[in-house]
Short mmCIF file of all heavy atoms in Angstrom, two decimals:
data_model
loop_
_atom_site.label_atom_id
_atom_site.label_comp_id
_atom_site.label_asym_id
_atom_site.label_seq_id
_atom_site.Cartn_x
_atom_site.Cartn_y
_atom_site.Cartn_z
N ARG A 939 -19.06 -9.51 -4.19
CA ARG A 939 -20.41 -9.41 -4.78
C ARG A 939 -20.54 -8.32 -5.83
O ARG A 939 -21.32 -8.45 -6.78
CB ARG A 939 -21.44 -9.18 -3.67
CG ARG A 939 -21.56 -10.36 -2.71
CD ARG A 939 -22.60 -10.11 -1.64
NE ARG A 939 -22.66 -11.21 -0.69
CZ ARG A 939 -23.51 -11.27 0.33
NH1 ARG A 939 -24.38 -10.28 0.55
NH2 ARG A 939 -23.50 -12.32 1.14
N LEU A 940 -19.79 -7.23 -5.66
CA LEU A 940 -19.89 -6.11 -6.60
C LEU A 940 -18.72 -6.05 -7.56
O LEU A 940 -18.85 -5.51 -8.65
CB LEU A 940 -19.99 -4.78 -5.84
CG LEU A 940 -21.14 -4.64 -4.85
CD1 LEU A 940 -21.08 -3.26 -4.18
CD2 LEU A 940 -22.48 -4.86 -5.52
N GLY A 941 -17.57 -6.56 -7.14
CA GLY A 941 -16.35 -6.46 -7.94
C GLY A 941 -15.54 -5.24 -7.53
O GLY A 941 -16.08 -4.22 -7.08
N ALA A 942 -14.25 -5.33 -7.71
CA ALA A 942 -13.34 -4.28 -7.26
C ALA A 942 -13.59 -2.95 -7.95
O ALA A 942 -13.30 -1.88 -7.38
CB ALA A 942 -11.89 -4.71 -7.49
N ASP A 943 -14.16 -2.95 -9.15
CA ASP A 943 -14.39 -1.71 -9.88
C ASP A 943 -15.48 -0.84 -9.26
O ASP A 943 -15.68 0.30 -9.69
CB ASP A 943 -14.77 -2.01 -11.34
CG ASP A 943 -13.60 -2.52 -12.14
OD1 ASP A 943 -12.44 -2.28 -11.73
OD2 ASP A 943 -13.83 -3.16 -13.19
N ARG A 944 -16.19 -1.37 -8.25
CA ARG A 944 -17.30 -0.61 -7.67
C ARG A 944 -17.06 -0.24 -6.20
O ARG A 944 -18.00 0.14 -5.52
CB ARG A 944 -18.60 -1.40 -7.84
CG ARG A 944 -19.02 -1.48 -9.31
CD ARG A 944 -20.30 -2.24 -9.49
NE ARG A 944 -21.40 -1.60 -8.79
CZ ARG A 944 -22.62 -2.15 -8.68
NH1 ARG A 944 -22.86 -3.33 -9.23
NH2 ARG A 944 -23.57 -1.53 -8.03
N LEU A 945 -15.81 -0.31 -5.77
CA LEU A 945 -15.47 0.10 -4.41
C LEU A 945 -14.53 1.30 -4.44
O LEU A 945 -13.71 1.44 -5.35
CB LEU A 945 -14.81 -1.04 -3.64
CG LEU A 945 -15.74 -2.02 -2.91
CD1 LEU A 945 -16.50 -2.87 -3.90
CD2 LEU A 945 -14.94 -2.89 -1.95
N LEU A 946 -14.65 2.15 -3.41
CA LEU A 946 -13.80 3.32 -3.25
C LEU A 946 -13.28 3.36 -1.82
O LEU A 946 -14.06 3.35 -0.87
CB LEU A 946 -14.59 4.60 -3.54
CG LEU A 946 -15.12 4.77 -4.96
CD1 LEU A 946 -16.25 5.78 -4.98
CD2 LEU A 946 -14.00 5.21 -5.90
N PHE A 947 -11.98 3.44 -1.67
CA PHE A 947 -11.40 3.60 -0.34
C PHE A 947 -11.72 4.99 0.19
O PHE A 947 -11.65 5.99 -0.52
CB PHE A 947 -9.89 3.42 -0.38
CG PHE A 947 -9.22 3.83 0.90
CD1 PHE A 947 -9.24 2.98 2.00
CD2 PHE A 947 -8.62 5.07 1.03
CE1 PHE A 947 -8.66 3.37 3.21
CE2 PHE A 947 -8.03 5.46 2.23
CZ PHE A 947 -8.06 4.61 3.32
N ALA A 948 -12.08 5.06 1.49
CA ALA A 948 -12.30 6.34 2.15
C ALA A 948 -12.11 6.17 3.64
O ALA A 948 -12.11 5.05 4.16
CB ALA A 948 -13.71 6.88 1.85
N ALA A 949 -11.93 7.30 4.35
CA ALA A 949 -11.65 7.22 5.78
C ALA A 949 -12.60 8.03 6.65
O ALA A 949 -12.75 7.73 7.83
CB ALA A 949 -10.21 7.67 6.05
N GLU A 950 -13.23 9.09 6.10
CA GLU A 950 -14.10 9.99 6.90
C GLU A 950 -13.28 10.80 7.92
O GLU A 950 -13.64 10.96 9.08
CB GLU A 950 -15.21 9.19 7.59
CG GLU A 950 -16.23 10.02 8.36
CD GLU A 950 -17.27 10.69 7.51
OE1 GLU A 950 -17.62 10.12 6.46
OE2 GLU A 950 -17.74 11.77 7.85
N HIS A 951 -12.15 11.32 7.47
CA HIS A 951 -11.41 12.29 8.30
C HIS A 951 -12.32 13.48 8.60
O HIS A 951 -13.06 13.92 7.73
CB HIS A 951 -10.17 12.78 7.53
CG HIS A 951 -9.48 13.93 8.20
ND1 HIS A 951 -8.43 13.77 9.06
CD2 HIS A 951 -9.71 15.27 8.14
CE1 HIS A 951 -8.03 14.95 9.50
NE2 HIS A 951 -8.80 15.87 8.95
N PRO A 952 -12.29 14.08 9.80
CA PRO A 952 -11.42 13.78 10.94
C PRO A 952 -12.02 12.77 11.93
O PRO A 952 -11.39 12.51 12.97
CB PRO A 952 -11.28 15.14 11.61
CG PRO A 952 -12.60 15.79 11.37
CD PRO A 952 -13.03 15.33 9.99
N LEU A 953 -13.18 12.19 11.62
CA LEU A 953 -13.77 11.23 12.54
C LEU A 953 -12.96 9.93 12.59
O LEU A 953 -12.98 9.23 13.60
CB LEU A 953 -15.21 10.92 12.14
CG LEU A 953 -16.19 12.10 12.18
CD1 LEU A 953 -17.58 11.66 11.77
CD2 LEU A 953 -16.21 12.75 13.56
N GLN A 954 -12.27 9.63 11.52
CA GLN A 954 -11.46 8.42 11.45
C GLN A 954 -10.16 8.71 10.69
O GLN A 954 -10.21 9.17 9.55
CB GLN A 954 -12.23 7.31 10.71
CG GLN A 954 -11.54 5.97 10.66
CD GLN A 954 -11.86 5.12 11.87
OE1 GLN A 954 -11.55 5.49 12.99
NE2 GLN A 954 -12.50 3.98 11.64
N PRO A 955 -9.00 8.48 11.29
CA PRO A 955 -7.75 8.67 10.56
C PRO A 955 -7.63 7.66 9.42
O PRO A 955 -8.04 6.50 9.56
CB PRO A 955 -6.66 8.42 11.62
CG PRO A 955 -7.36 8.50 12.94
CD PRO A 955 -8.77 8.06 12.69
N PRO A 956 -7.08 8.06 8.29
CA PRO A 956 -6.95 7.11 7.19
C PRO A 956 -6.12 5.89 7.55
O PRO A 956 -6.36 4.80 7.01
CB PRO A 956 -6.28 7.94 6.07
CG PRO A 956 -5.89 9.23 6.67
CD PRO A 956 -6.67 9.43 7.91
N ALA A 957 -5.17 6.02 8.46
CA ALA A 957 -4.35 4.86 8.85
C ALA A 957 -5.21 3.75 9.43
O ALA A 957 -4.89 2.56 9.25
CB ALA A 957 -3.29 5.29 9.86
N VAL A 958 -6.29 4.10 10.11
CA VAL A 958 -7.17 3.08 10.69
C VAL A 958 -7.89 2.31 9.59
O VAL A 958 -7.99 1.08 9.62
CB VAL A 958 -8.18 3.73 11.66
CG1 VAL A 958 -9.18 2.70 12.16
CG2 VAL A 958 -7.46 4.40 12.82
N GLU A 959 -8.40 3.03 8.60
CA GLU A 959 -9.10 2.36 7.50
C GLU A 959 -8.14 1.55 6.65
O GLU A 959 -8.51 0.50 6.11
CB GLU A 959 -9.84 3.39 6.65
CG GLU A 959 -11.04 4.02 7.34
CD GLU A 959 -12.16 3.01 7.61
OE1 GLU A 959 -12.39 2.13 6.75
OE2 GLU A 959 -12.80 3.12 8.66
N LEU A 960 -6.91 2.01 6.52
CA LEU A 960 -5.93 1.23 5.76
C LEU A 960 -5.61 -0.09 6.45
O LEU A 960 -5.36 -1.10 5.80
CB LEU A 960 -4.65 2.05 5.57
CG LEU A 960 -4.77 3.18 4.54
CD1 LEU A 960 -3.54 4.09 4.61
CD2 LEU A 960 -4.95 2.63 3.14
N ALA A 961 -5.63 -0.08 7.79
CA ALA A 961 -5.39 -1.33 8.53
C ALA A 961 -6.46 -2.37 8.19
O ALA A 961 -6.17 -3.57 8.11
CB ALA A 961 -5.37 -1.05 10.02
N LYS A 962 -7.67 -1.91 7.97
CA LYS A 962 -8.76 -2.81 7.58
C LYS A 962 -8.45 -3.51 6.26
O LYS A 962 -8.66 -4.72 6.11
CB LYS A 962 -10.05 -2.00 7.48
CG LYS A 962 -11.28 -2.78 7.11
CD LYS A 962 -12.54 -1.95 7.37
CE LYS A 962 -12.70 -0.80 6.42
NZ LYS A 962 -13.90 0.01 6.73
N PHE A 963 -7.92 -2.76 5.32
CA PHE A 963 -7.59 -3.36 4.03
C PHE A 963 -6.37 -4.26 4.11
O PHE A 963 -6.28 -5.25 3.37
CB PHE A 963 -7.41 -2.26 2.97
CG PHE A 963 -8.71 -1.81 2.38
CD1 PHE A 963 -9.41 -0.75 2.93
CD2 PHE A 963 -9.28 -2.49 1.31
CE1 PHE A 963 -10.62 -0.34 2.40
CE2 PHE A 963 -10.49 -2.10 0.77
CZ PHE A 963 -11.17 -1.03 1.32
N ARG A 964 -5.43 -3.92 4.96
CA ARG A 964 -4.30 -4.83 5.13
C ARG A 964 -4.77 -6.20 5.63
O ARG A 964 -4.23 -7.23 5.24
CB ARG A 964 -3.28 -4.21 6.09
CG ARG A 964 -2.54 -3.02 5.49
CD ARG A 964 -1.39 -2.57 6.37
NE ARG A 964 -0.74 -1.42 5.78
CZ ARG A 964 -0.98 -0.15 6.09
NH1 ARG A 964 -1.87 0.12 7.03
NH2 ARG A 964 -0.34 0.83 5.49
N ALA A 965 -5.77 -6.19 6.50
CA ALA A 965 -6.31 -7.45 7.01
C ALA A 965 -6.97 -8.27 5.91
O ALA A 965 -7.02 -9.51 5.98
CB ALA A 965 -7.31 -7.18 8.13
N LEU A 966 -7.47 -7.59 4.87
CA LEU A 966 -8.12 -8.30 3.77
C LEU A 966 -7.11 -8.98 2.85
O LEU A 966 -7.44 -9.93 2.14
CB LEU A 966 -8.96 -7.32 2.94
CG LEU A 966 -10.26 -6.85 3.59
CD1 LEU A 966 -10.89 -5.74 2.76
CD2 LEU A 966 -11.24 -7.99 3.76
N ASN A 967 -5.88 -8.46 2.83
CA ASN A 967 -4.80 -9.06 2.03
C ASN A 967 -5.22 -9.21 0.56
O ASN A 967 -5.11 -10.28 -0.04
CB ASN A 967 -4.40 -10.42 2.60
CG ASN A 967 -3.08 -10.92 2.04
OD1 ASN A 967 -2.22 -10.12 1.68
ND2 ASN A 967 -2.93 -12.23 1.95
N LEU A 968 -5.70 -8.11 -0.02
CA LEU A 968 -6.13 -8.12 -1.41
C LEU A 968 -4.92 -8.20 -2.34
O LEU A 968 -3.83 -7.75 -2.00
CB LEU A 968 -6.92 -6.85 -1.72
CG LEU A 968 -8.18 -6.60 -0.90
CD1 LEU A 968 -8.75 -5.23 -1.23
CD2 LEU A 968 -9.22 -7.69 -1.15
N ASP A 969 -5.14 -8.72 -3.53
CA ASP A 969 -4.07 -8.71 -4.51
C ASP A 969 -3.81 -7.28 -4.96
O ASP A 969 -4.70 -6.42 -4.89
CB ASP A 969 -4.40 -9.61 -5.70
CG ASP A 969 -5.57 -9.07 -6.52
OD1 ASP A 969 -5.33 -8.20 -7.38
OD2 ASP A 969 -6.71 -9.52 -6.29
N PRO A 970 -2.59 -6.97 -5.42
CA PRO A 970 -2.22 -5.58 -5.73
C PRO A 970 -3.13 -4.90 -6.75
O PRO A 970 -3.43 -3.71 -6.63
CB PRO A 970 -0.79 -5.71 -6.25
CG PRO A 970 -0.25 -6.94 -5.61
CD PRO A 970 -1.42 -7.88 -5.52
N GLU A 971 -3.58 -5.62 -7.78
CA GLU A 971 -4.42 -5.02 -8.80
C GLU A 971 -5.79 -4.64 -8.23
O GLU A 971 -6.33 -3.56 -8.53
CB GLU A 971 -4.59 -5.97 -9.99
CG GLU A 971 -5.47 -5.43 -11.10
CD GLU A 971 -5.00 -4.10 -11.66
OE1 GLU A 971 -3.78 -3.84 -11.69
OE2 GLU A 971 -5.88 -3.30 -12.07
N THR A 972 -6.37 -5.50 -7.41
CA THR A 972 -7.65 -5.19 -6.77
C THR A 972 -7.52 -3.96 -5.88
O THR A 972 -8.36 -3.06 -5.91
CB THR A 972 -8.14 -6.40 -5.95
OG1 THR A 972 -8.41 -7.48 -6.84
CG2 THR A 972 -9.40 -6.06 -5.17
#
Side-chain angles (χ1 to χ4, degrees):
R939 294 181 183 182
L940 303 180
D943 289 339
R944 292 180 61 187
L945 273 70
L946 296 160
F947 169 78
E950 184 78 32
H951 170 94
L953 297 180
Q954 184 87 299
V958 175
E959 290 294 322
L960 286 170
K962 181 166 70 182
F963 276 92
R964 289 189 181 97
L966 287 172
N967 195 29
L968 300 174
D969 67 83
E971 179 57 31
T972 295

